[in-house]
C-alpha cells in the first residue's frame, strides 16, 4: 500500500496515552500514523513532581519525538492544536512563535481519516482567587523547571540565613503527598554535613479541603501515608477550604499559612482548547464525552483518550479518573480496536482493569493497594510496593521504545548515578 492510499490516523498529544498509541499503531504497519505535540520531546508526566523536586534528572527521561518517530515509524508534527475541521477532516495547528515574536513555522492543516484526541488535562483551580498568579501547578515540564529554580534559590537562602523555606502544597492526592516527600529528600542536598542531625531548612505543609487526606481512598492507604508524612515531618491540615492564594500566604476561612512557594495540586479538568476544537460534547470538567468504544459522541471518526476524555463505564456513575494507568489501557485498547474499526469489523467496548493505587514517598517508602483482579485489594508497602510503583513506567518505556531499547532504558534508569538528590 502506498503512503497516499494508507488510512491516516492523526493522534493529538504525545503524552502517556498518545505516544503509546502512536508507537503501537505504527509498529503494526499498513496505517499512516501522525503524532502531533506542541513540544519536541516527551516527558512521562507521573514523574513531574520528581523533576520539580530535583530527585531525578529530567534530561535522562526526556525522549525526542523526532527520534522516536524515526525509530517507531510514525510521522511527527510539532505544533499547537487549535481546532478540528470535522467536515474537511483536518486539524489546524497554530503558527509556532519564535523568541522575538516572529513565526518559526506557519500555521498548518494536518489531514486525517481517523483522529484521536489525547491532549491531557490541567490542574483545576476551581475559581480560587490568586491561584493563577501566585501558585505553581505541575502540568508540564516548564512548570517543574520553574518550581525547581525557585526551590533551589530558597534553599540556598535558607542555608545562608538559617530561616527555613516554607512550601505549602494545596491538595493531598498522590501529586501533593509525593511532592512533599521528594522535597524532603532534596533538602538533604543542602545540608552541610550529610548524616548528622541538622536544623530543618524546609517547612512543608499540605492543606486539604476534605475532612481527611486522599478523599475517597482506602482507610489503610490513608493511614499508611499519614504515618509516613509524620515521619517526614510534613504538617497535614485537613478541612482547609482555601479562599485565596496571595504572593506569600495561603488563606482559608479558618486560618492562613505563610508560603514562599505555593503548589496547587487539587483536581483535574480538561484543557481550555478542548472546548474550542469543534462542537464536541463536554462533561462538567470540560473533557470530551466518549462512548464505550472511546468515540466522541458527535463524530465516529474522532476518538479521545486519557485525561482529555470523559468515559463513564456501564454500571458506574462517574468518569474514569485522570491517571496514566487509564490513559495507557485506553491506548492499548485503541491500538487493537482502531485497525478493526477501519476494516469495518465490529469492536468490543473498552474494559478497565484497576491495577491499584500506589504512592511513592521518597525515603519513607512506597505504599498502596494492588488489585489482583478480584474484589479484594491488597495493601502493600516496602520493596514490593516500590517495584510495583515503577512497573507502570517500565510498561510505558517498553510500549514506547519497544522491548530492546525499552530494556536498555530501564537498565540505564536503574543504574543512573543521578538518582537521589540530583540538584
Ligand atoms: C505530578 C503528577 C504525578 C502523577 N502521578 C501519577 C501516577 O503515579 N500514576 C498515574 O497513573 N497517573 C499519575 N498522574 C496522572 C498522569 O500523569 C496523567 O493522567 C496522564 O499523563 C494522562 O495521560 P494523557 O496521555 O491523557 O495526557 P498527558 O500525558 O498529559 O499528555 C498530553 C500531551 O498533549 C500535549 N499537548 C497539550 N496541549 C496541546 C496542544 N494544544 N497541542 C499539541 N499538543 C498538546 C502535551 O505536550 C502532552 O505531551 C500524575 C500526574 C502528575 C501531574
Amino acid at each position: 500500500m502506498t503512503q497516499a492510499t494508507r488510512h491516516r490516523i492523526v493522534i493529538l498529544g504525545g503524552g502517556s496515552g498518545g505516544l503509546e498509541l502512536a508507537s503501537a499503531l505504527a509498529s503494526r504497519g499498513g496505517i499512516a500514523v501522525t503524532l502531533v505535540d506542541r513540544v519536541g520531546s516527551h516527558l512521562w508526566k507521573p514523574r513531574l513532581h520528581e523533576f520539580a523536586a530535583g530527585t531525578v534528572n529530567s534530561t535522562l527521561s526526556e525522549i525526542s519525538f523526532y527520534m522516536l518517530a524515526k525509530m517507531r515509524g510514525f510521522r511527527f508534527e510539532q505544533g499547537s492544536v487549535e481546532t478540528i475541521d470535522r467536515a474537511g477532516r483536518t486539524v489546524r495547528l497554530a503558527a509556532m512563535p519564535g523568541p522575538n515574536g516572529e513565526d518559526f513555522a506557519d500555521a498548518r492543516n494536518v489531514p486525517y481519516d481517523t483522529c484521536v484526541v489525547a491532549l491531557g488535562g490541567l490542574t483545576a483551580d476551581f475559581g480560587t482567587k490568586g491561584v493563577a498568579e501566585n501558585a505553581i501547578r505541575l502540568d508540564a515540564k516548564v512548570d517543574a523547571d520553574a518550581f525547581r529554580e525557585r526551590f533551589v534559590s530558597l534553599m540556598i537562602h535558607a542555608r545562608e540565613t538559617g530561616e527555613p523555606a516554607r512550601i505549602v502544597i494545596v491538595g493531598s492526592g498522590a501529586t501533593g503527598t509525593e511532592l512533599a516527600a521528594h522535597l524532603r529528600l532534596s533538602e538533604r542536598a543542602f545540608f552541610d554535613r550529610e548524616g548528622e542531625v541538622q536544623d530543618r531548612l524546609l517547612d512543608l505543609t499540605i492543606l486539604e479541603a476534605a475532612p481527611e487526606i486522599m478523599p475517597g481512598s482506602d482507610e489503610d492507604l490513608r493511614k499508611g501515608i499519614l504515618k509516613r508524612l509524620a515521619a517526614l515531618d510534613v504538617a497535614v491540615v485537613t478541612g482547609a477550604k482555601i479562599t485565596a492564594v496571595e504572593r506569600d500566604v495561603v488563606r482559608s476561612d479558618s486560618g492562613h499559612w505563610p508560603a514562599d512557594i505555593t503548589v496547587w495540586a487539587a483536581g483535574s479538568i480538561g484543557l481550555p482548547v478542548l472546548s474550542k476544537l469543534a462542537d464536541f460534547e463536554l462533561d462538567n470538567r470540560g473533557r470530551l464525552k466518549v462512548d464505550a468504544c472511546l468515540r466522541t459522541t458527535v463524530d465516529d471518526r474522532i476518538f479521545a483518550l486519557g485525561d482529555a476524555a470523559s468515559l463513564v463505564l456501564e454500571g458506574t456513575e462517574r468518569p474514569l479518573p485522570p491517571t496514566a494507568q487509564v490513559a495507557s489501557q485506553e491506548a492499548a485498547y485503541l491500538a487493537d480496536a482502531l485497525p478493526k474499526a477501519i476494516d469495518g469489523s465490529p469492536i468490543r467496548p473498552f474494559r478497565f482493569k484497576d491495577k491499584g493505587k500506589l504512592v511513592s514517598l521518597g525515603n519513607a517508602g512506597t505504599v498502596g493497594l494492588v488489585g489482583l483482579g478480584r474484589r479484594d485489594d491488597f495493601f502493600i508497602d516496602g520493596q514490593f510496593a516500590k517495584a510495583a510503583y515503577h512497573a507502570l513506567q517500565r510498561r510505558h518505556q517498553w510500549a514506547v521504545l519497544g522491548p530492546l531499547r525499552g530494556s536498555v532504558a530501564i537498565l540505564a534508569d536503574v543504574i543512573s548515578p543521578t538518582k537521589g538528590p540530583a540538584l
Side-chain angles (χ1 to χ4, degrees):
M1 225 182 295
T2 66
Q3 178 78 19
T5 57
R6 286 193 299 166
H7 187 96
R8 296 162 303 181
I9 298 185
V10 173
I11 300 162
L12 309 180
S16 304
L19 182 55
E20 289 186 14
L21 177 61
S23 299
L25 284 173
S27 64
R28 292 177 68 110
I31 298 170
V33 180
T34 299
L35 179 71
V36 175
D37 206 288
R38 62 182 165 194
V39 292
S41 57
H42 167 80
L43 194 67
W44 199 58
K45 203 170 166 184
R47 293 192 85 170
L48 261 190
H49 58 287
E50 294 176 58
F51 303 130
T55 48
V56 289
N57 188 338
S58 67
T59 50
L60 276 181
S61 306
E62 231 175 321
I63 319 172
S64 156
F65 283 124
Y66 292 96
M67 187 270 288
L68 276 175
K70 283 271 163 295
M71 214 166 81
R72 303 310 304 261
F74 57 83
R75 179 185 161 83
F76 176 60
E77 277 283 351
Q78 187 171 353
S80 199
V81 175
E82 275 190 330
T83 52
I84 299 176
D85 173 1
R86 297 207 292 113
R89 285 194 223 147
T90 53
V91 176
R92 180 79 175 161
L93 304 188
M96 274 171 71
N100 304 315
E102 74 279 25
D103 285 349
F104 265 5
D106 290 337
R108 282 152 290 155
N109 289 329
V110 182
Y112 66 84
D113 298 307
T114 299
C115 178
V116 181
V117 181
L119 292 171
L122 205 63
T123 309
D125 68 5
F126 306 111
T128 313
K129 216 166 90 189
V131 174
E133 301 81 4
N134 301 315
I136 292 184
R137 288 180 274 186
L138 291 179
D139 286 321
K141 182 170 178 282
V142 286
D143 306 318
D145 290 341
F147 175 90
R148 200 175 49 258
E149 239 170 66
R150 176 106 179 90
F151 173 64
V152 169
S153 67
L154 281 174
M155 294 306 287
I156 292 170
H157 182 75
R159 184 159 63 178
E160 292 297 309
T161 62
E163 284 276 302
R166 299 157 306 181
I167 297 190
V168 173
I169 299 168
V170 182
S172 69
T175 301
T177 50
E178 291 187 336
L179 176 65
H182 281 269
L183 289 172
R184 186 58 84 212
L185 193 56
S186 276
E187 181 190 30
R188 291 183 356 198
F190 296 89
F191 286 149
D192 290 329
R193 300 171 306 279
E194 179 67 25
E196 291 179 29
V197 178
Q198 292 176 60
D199 290 339
R200 282 260 168 265
L201 295 176
L202 180 60
D203 285 344
L204 288 162
T205 305
I206 295 178
L207 304 177
E208 170 58 56
E212 53 203 11
I213 67 155
M214 293 204 141
S217 292
D218 175 271
E219 184 65 28
D220 284 343
L221 180 62
R222 275 206 303 268
K223 277 191 195 148
I225 289 170
L226 274 176
K227 194 173 96 189
R228 284 164 175 82
L229 289 176
L232 290 169
D233 196 15
V234 177
V236 177
V237 182
T238 53
K241 292 193 176 65
I242 306 307
T243 49
V245 178
E246 294 170 15
R247 218 172 68 86
D248 48 12
V249 65
V250 181
R251 297 188 188 279
S252 80
D253 287 338
S254 53
H256 68 278
W257 295 268
D260 297 309
I261 308 181
T262 302
V263 180
W264 190 267
S268 164
I269 50 169
L271 293 174
V273 71
L274 294 182
S275 64
K276 297 180 196 125
L277 283 182
D279 53 344
F280 292 117
E281 217 185 328
L282 303 177
D283 73 359
N284 62 358
R285 294 214 165 189
R287 297 169 296 192
L288 305 188
K289 284 192 180 181
V290 292
D291 70 12
C293 297
L294 304 184
R295 273 190 215 99
T296 55
T297 49
V298 297
D299 194 324
D300 278 359
R301 289 177 176 273
I302 304 181
F303 296 71
L305 64 73
D307 290 6
S310 176
L311 170 62
V312 182
L313 294 174
E314 205 184 312
T316 65
E317 286 174 6
R318 293 157 68 120
L320 285 174
T323 65
Q325 192 189 152
V326 171
S328 174
Q329 288 188 32
E330 290 178 342
Y333 164 79
L334 284 181
D336 180 61
L338 288 182
K340 289 184 182 144
I342 291 164
D343 284 349
S345 309
I347 54 174
R348 60 172 176 81
F350 170 71
R351 268 201 248 135
F352 177 59
K353 244 193 196 161
D354 190 351
K355 300 205 170 139
K357 183 171 200 167
L358 289 156
V359 179
S360 156
L361 296 169
N363 269 7
T366 302
V367 287
L369 290 168
V370 177
L372 297 178
R374 307 206 306 245
R375 273 182 51 211
D376 309 326
D377 283 335
F378 286 85
F379 180 75
I380 57 168
D381 59 4
Q383 286 305 317
F384 180 51
K386 192 173 170 189
Y389 180 80
H390 288 295
L392 184 66
Q393 187 183 14
R394 306 290 179 238
R395 239 210 102 268
H396 179 70
Q397 287 169 313
W398 267 56
V400 166
L401 295 168
L404 180 63
R405 288 188 177 89
S407 306
V408 173
I410 291 164
L411 187 66
D413 196 19
V414 169
I415 62 173
S416 160
T418 56
K419 293 202 308 181
L423 288 168

